[in-house]
Structures are given as structure tokens and as C-alpha cells.
Amino acid sequence: RDRFITREEIQAFFAALEDEPNSALRDLFFMLLVLGQRKSNTKCMRWDQIDVTRRVWTIPRTKNGTAHTVHLPDAAIAVLQRRREEEPPGEWVFPGRKPGTHIANPDHAWRRLKARAGLQGELWIHDLRRSLGSWQAANGASLTIIGQSLGHKSLAASAIYARINLDPVRESVDAAVNAMLAAAHPDAPEHASALPGAPVALHHLTA
């Protein structure tokens, strides 16, 4: 799958998220997006796995069968601190309806959120994890860094992000072409040699 929350959808997504009446579900979906971890791990996040001082969440066992340390960005820290202040003391960061349980199945709330946001096509909860990776790729992160962030065991698992988001490729190619055109005619006005139909620069390149 190559579906993720795009730049065109992100505002509607956050607006719908803010309107979610269940605070635990609202915060769960937010954390799934900003941490990029699997639903199975995130919904059973425990307070004793969180180290706010070091800004890390330690997942004792992932789908890969290994432990994984997750960086907590400022936005995640803010959510955790608010939940700690507002929620009664307990074991789970995202408690379920029954005392002593965590959220079990957020699928109904997810469909409700998608409808409010007007998100088109299939968009699964797991695509929130993919969204973080795609936005990392758009900001120039390497596949190694993306893989470490998401807890992938191999680069092959991260390779999809090089395909589904071409922004870094476009920016790199545009920059290289502009540099060639500028070098071809350094006396031209700034940016002029990079524009389509710049005859002087193109003449120098093709002569």
C-alpha cells in the first residue's frame, strides 16, 4: 500500500481530530501519527514504558520480536503530560471503558473521524504509521533514519517511502538543473537561467 495523509488532507484531518469527543481515542490517533508505531503497540502503551526526561518510549516487544526505543517529539510529550494530569492514575496511557483495560478496538471511531474529515479512498489506521515515514521522506530523511524511526528490521521495509513521495527527488533534480543553467551563464540575472525558455543558458548547455 502507498496511502498516507497528504499535505492537502492534513488540515481536515487535524480539524476532525479536534472534534473527536473521546479524548483517549483522539490522543491515540494523534500519537499513531506523530510516533509512527503500530496500533497494536500504541493502544497498549503503559506509563512505566515512558521516560519523559529522556524523551523516549520503550516498547518491550514489537512485531519483529525485539524491543524498540521510540523518540518522543515535543507534541507527544505535551499530550502525555496533559493525559497524566487529567486522567485518573492507572497502568495504561489510553485506558478502555472497563477499569484496568486499555483501548481495544478504535476502528469505529476511526471511520467516524474519516467521515468528518472527508478523507477519500481507503485510509486505514495503519496508514498513520506510513504517513510519518512519507513526511520524513519529504523532508529529506534517509531510508536508514526512517527505518530506525519506525522500527523496521531492514531497509527493504523502508523502500516504499522512496517511491510514494517524490518531493525530495524533484527538489534534488530541480536544484541540479538550476545549478547547471546558472553555471552555464553566470552573468544572467538571478534565476533567469533556470526558467524554461532561457535561450542564452540553453545555448551554452547545448552548444
Side-chain angles (χ1 to χ4, degrees):
R1 286 177 55 78
D2 57 5
R3 185 71 167 93
F4 61 95
I5 296 178
T6 66
R7 292 183 182 276
E8 293 74 23
E9 296 171 329
I10 195 70
Q11 287 187 338
F13 173 80
F14 272 103
L17 195 61
E18 291 174 3
D19 289 337
E20 172 55 46
N22 185 309
S23 63
L25 287 164
R26 180 194 64 218
D27 292 343
L28 172 65
F29 293 139
F30 179 79
M31 295 291 261
L32 284 165
L33 177 65
V34 302
L35 300 183
Q37 302 307 305
R38 294 180 179 87
K39 177 180 68 173
S40 58
N41 294 125
T42 309
K43 70 181 183 180
C44 58
M45 179 189 289
R46 297 163 50 115
W47 286 112
D48 61 9
Q49 298 169 350
I50 304 295
D51 187 331
V52 175
T53 302
R54 294 177 52 229
R55 303 169 63 84
V56 296
W57 165 34
T58 302
I59 302 174
R61 187 178 180 86
T62 67
K63 181 181 178 181
N64 296 327
T66 59
H68 178 48
T69 300
V70 182
H71 166 67
L72 297 172
D74 289 344
I77 292 290
V79 167
L80 290 169
Q81 290 176 333
R82 176 176 50 74
R83 292 198 63 78
R84 199 55 157 164
E85 294 171 358
E86 296 178 356
E87 295 290 332
E91 179 180 3
W92 310 103
V93 176
F94 305 110
R97 293 182 178 179
K98 294 182 180 179
T101 66
H102 60 72
I103 287 176
N105 187 359
D107 292 349
H108 178 71
W110 175 247
R111 290 191 293 270
R112 186 170 66 218
L113 186 150
K114 284 198 305 178
R116 285 199 305 272
L119 298 175
Q120 302 298 316
E122 289 190 349
L123 184 69
W124 302 343
I125 292 177
H126 189 74
D127 294 330
L128 293 176
R129 170 174 165 83
R130 188 173 291 109
S131 295
L132 177 64
S134 69
W135 281 68
Q136 285 180 285
N139 283 280
S142 69
L143 294 186
T144 300
I145 293 298
I146 294 173
Q148 290 177 345
S149 301
L150 303 183
H152 290 161
K153 292 190 71 173
S154 68
L155 280 179
S158 303
I160 186 175
Y161 300 107
R163 176 171 64 84
I164 66 177
N165 200 315
L166 292 177
D167 287 349
V169 176
R170 293 189 183 101
E171 292 170 4
S172 176
V173 171
D174 287 346
V177 170
N178 289 345
M180 286 190 292
L181 295 176
H185 195 71
D187 297 329
E190 186 178 4
H191 303 308
S193 60
L195 297 174
V200 177
L202 293 179
H203 170 75
H204 280 270
L205 280 176
T206 56

